Amino acid sequence: MVNILIVEDEKPISNLIRMSLSKSGYSCTCAYDGIEAADILSETRFDLVLLDIMLPEIDGLELLDYIRPMEIPVIFITAMGSTWDKVKGLRAGADDYIVKPFEVVELLARIDVVLRRYNKNDSVFKIGDLDINTYAMQVTRNGKEIALTKKEYNILLLFARNPGRALYRETIYEQVWGEPYTYGSKTVDLHVQRLRRKVGWKNMLQAINRVGYKLELPNEDPI
Ligand code: CA
């Protein structure tokens, strides 16, 4: 799972970004000032940092000096829209910038581009005993392909990007079908049950009473 650190002192903006990125399958951590961000960065490995420039304690440009040796891509979030600030940010070593207020879809697109540039958006990843190739939209076990419909594939991907997290039927429906969920609909259950049979995840794809489903991976042996 791609880990993103959001460094933004304005909580409504930070919350909006966190919720949007979580929905898109990214794992997010929030820091609200420069020192907190530095502390978190010293303990946890991230694939990308979204960095506000105007921050309490240590500002974004100073924090960037701290992040750069870690070779983590950085996208600046800036309220200052002047060309000079953009140039300064990019020359300081940021990979991209986005100017507030911005559309979430634009942020997601920029994140995608930067992650691809760094090959951090793994095109093939392993989840449980399956390999998922997100470019080919292909699922294999021990090299043998498992034929899934597009909906089943998208449901699998949603679970794979949110292991251990209980997903509401509504969330699954809205993410995979792209339309509002009708209460009482059994569509999600039908698809999840078929998916479960096809991939053989009888115990791993668990139903949660009155909520939805959760992917529970077996504990892996420590390496
Ligand atoms: Ca700020």
Side-chain angles (χ1 to χ4, degrees):
M1 202 170 191
V2 174
N3 276 321
I4 298 181
L5 178 64
I6 303 161
V7 191
E8 166 64 78
D9 59 313
E10 290 166 71
K11 289 212 166 151
I13 298 178
S14 174
N15 287 340
L16 174 73
I17 296 174
R18 181 176 48 79
M19 283 190 294
S20 310
L21 296 191
S22 301
K23 273 188 194 165
S24 298
Y26 296 111
S27 166
C28 301
T29 304
C30 296
Y32 302 100
D33 66 58
I35 289 180
E36 189 187 8
D39 286 346
I40 293 172
L41 279 160
S42 67
E43 285 169 6
T44 312
R45 212 195 62 78
F46 289 92
D47 299 299
L48 178 82
V49 180
L50 297 178
L51 184 56
D52 184 22
I53 292 184
M54 301 290 283
L55 285 170
E57 307 296 343
I58 302 173
D59 74 20
L61 285 167
E62 280 181 273
L63 193 60
L64 184 64
D65 285 334
Y66 176 78
I67 298 173
R68 229 173 357 189
M70 300 177 178
E71 295 183 342
I72 304 169
V74 173
I75 297 178
F76 268 134
I77 304 168
T78 172
M80 305 174 290
S82 80
T83 312
W84 186 83
D85 284 314
K86 291 171 190 171
V87 171
K88 194 172 163 189
L90 292 171
R91 282 186 61 182
D95 293 273
D96 203 352
Y97 61 87
I98 189 158
V99 181
K100 287 186 266 192
F102 51 80
E103 295 284 332
V104 166
V105 279
E106 190 194 347
L107 178 64
L108 286 169
R110 286 177 186 274
I111 288 172
D112 196 47
V113 167
V114 170
L115 288 174
R116 272 171 204 267
R117 196 184 298 152
Y118 280 77
N119 282 326
K120 297 220 180 219
N121 235 353
D122 299 342
S123 62
V124 181
F125 68 99
K126 202 169 180 60
I127 187 89
D129 52 355
L130 298 178
D131 292 301
I132 302 179
N133 184 325
T134 56
Y135 282 138
M137 291 174 65
Q138 196 179 46
V139 179
T140 52
R141 174 182 286 120
N142 302 326
K144 197 163 178 280
E145 190 180 350
I146 297 170
L148 299 177
T149 65
K150 193 159 181 273
K151 291 278 191 287
E152 290 163 352
Y153 171 82
N154 284 331
I155 294 169
L156 177 66
L157 200 59
L158 188 63
F159 282 118
R161 283 182 170 158
N162 295 279
R165 186 181 298 173
L167 297 174
Y168 285 94
R169 280 186 185 79
E170 291 92 312
T171 309
I172 298 168
Y173 191 84
E174 285 167 15
Q175 288 288 311
V176 173
W177 275 261
E179 2 181 303
Y181 173 77
T182 311
Y183 185 76
S185 162
K186 290 280 172 228
T187 310
V188 167
D189 304 84
L190 268 171
H191 279 78
V192 170
Q193 282 154 22
R194 289 185 62 81
L195 172 67
R196 189 195 268 148
R197 267 207 304 278
K198 284 191 182 179
V199 299
W201 281 0
K202 286 180 185 62
N203 301 319
M204 283 156 67
L205 221 41
Q206 300 172 353
I208 301 166
N209 201 17
R210 290 198 299 275
V211 173
Y213 294 90
K214 180 172 79 167
L215 171 60
E216 195 63 61
L217 295 170
N219 288 332
E220 284 174 21
D221 295 332
I223 298 163

